[in-house]
Amino acid sequence: MARRPRTEELQSGPERLMALVRTTVPPVHPAGLPFIGAGLALAAAGRRNRWLRGAGLVAAGANAAFFRHPPRVPPTRPGAIVAPADGLICLVEDVEPPAELGLPARPLPRVSIFLSIFDAHVQRVPISGEVTSVVHRPGLFVSAELEAASEDNERNSLVIRTESGAQVIAVQIAGLVARRIVCDAKAGDKVAIGDTYGLIRYGSRLDTYLPEGSEVLVLPGQRAVGGETILAELP
């Protein structure tokens, strides 16, 4: 995690400027490097053509922004469940979990977050625990902001069990433009709240299924900050 430098560490002008840049401009997720490189390669190949050069630089800049990986500081409050992604909270409702997980078919509280192409698209672990299951299911690519996207679209479900035995499910859902879901976590992994575990490109949705009795602390229309915004507390 990046930290802000102390004043005594910033003696000279150039050092101060570079430290401020490092703490202001977020790093890029490794998955974005090939796309940024392709844009720069186009700019280099077309350096004598201002249109090609401009298109390459714009593509590189857009991908650098899309694949940004800003540092986040998760809360230390016991039982807190944080947002797995940046974006707009579009739905808060009780819904049965994805059928492919083989869990009991009873409704659970669910918070849905819609990610536009302008949001950071890395996904973060909503609560510390052990990954007990990771299941990918092919599907459609309708707009991720539609309610039907949770049921119809391609998705990848991550099930986490906490030390207390509570179970939290984070579901990555592809969108109209998103065609690639990346999940680096696997069953048996020990994960910590706020850790990055995957991403979706470009434009998508994250559903978080909470244990029965959880106290939901957000409402539709709010903006969520992945790894920091508390969606709910365990019962």
Side-chain angles (χ1 to χ4, degrees), residues 2-215:
R3 65 177 179 85
R4 291 194 178 278
R6 296 189 297 270
T7 303
E8 60 269 22
E9 296 175 338
L10 307 176
Q11 299 300 322
S12 69
E15 289 179 356
R16 181 180 181 84
L17 177 61
M18 291 306 297
L20 289 175
V21 168
R22 285 195 299 270
T23 57
T24 302
V25 179
V28 173
H29 192 280
L33 296 179
F35 298 91
I36 298 169
L40 294 176
L42 177 62
R47 61 186 179 278
R48 299 183 185 278
N49 183 308
R50 66 171 185 162
W51 298 108
L52 282 178
R53 184 176 67 249
L57 292 176
V58 168
N63 278 290
F66 179 85
F67 287 101
R68 65 191 184 276
H69 189 188
R72 297 287 164 76
V73 180
T76 57
R77 185 191 306 181
I81 303 170
V82 300
D86 293 12
L88 179 71
I89 296 172
C90 56
L91 290 169
V92 178
E93 56 190 346
D94 288 352
V95 185
E96 292 181 7
E100 62 269 19
L101 294 177
L103 300 175
R106 61 174 181 268
L108 297 174
R110 184 181 74 184
V111 178
S112 298
I113 299 174
F114 172 70
L115 293 76
S116 76
I117 60 172
F118 301 107
D119 290 307
H121 268 59
V122 294
Q123 275 85 65
R124 301 175 188 271
V125 174
I127 197 167
S128 298
E130 180 180 353
V131 177
T132 60
S133 181
V134 179
V135 181
H136 178 267
R137 195 209 71 168
L140 304 178
F141 296 97
V142 302
S143 178
E145 59 188 320
L146 299 178
E147 185 173 355
S150 291
E151 181 62 31
D152 299 336
N153 282 20
E154 180 169 340
R155 63 191 182 218
N156 187 79
S157 301
L158 181 77
V159 183
I160 301 170
R161 185 177 298 279
T162 69
E163 288 186 356
S164 65
Q167 191 164 259
V168 176
I169 306 165
V171 184
Q172 299 166 288
I173 301 173
L176 184 64
V177 181
R179 300 286 165 153
R180 171 69 171 154
I181 296 175
V182 178
C183 179
D184 298 323
K186 59 185 183 300
D189 285 352
K190 302 288 187 180
V191 293
I193 185 172
D195 283 353
T196 300
Y197 78 90
L199 61 84
I200 315 173
R201 59 175 196 260
Y202 296 83
S204 48
R205 175 165 161 177
L206 260 291
D207 286 350
T208 306
Y209 292 81
L210 313 168
E212 290 181 277
S214 296
E215 181 183 3

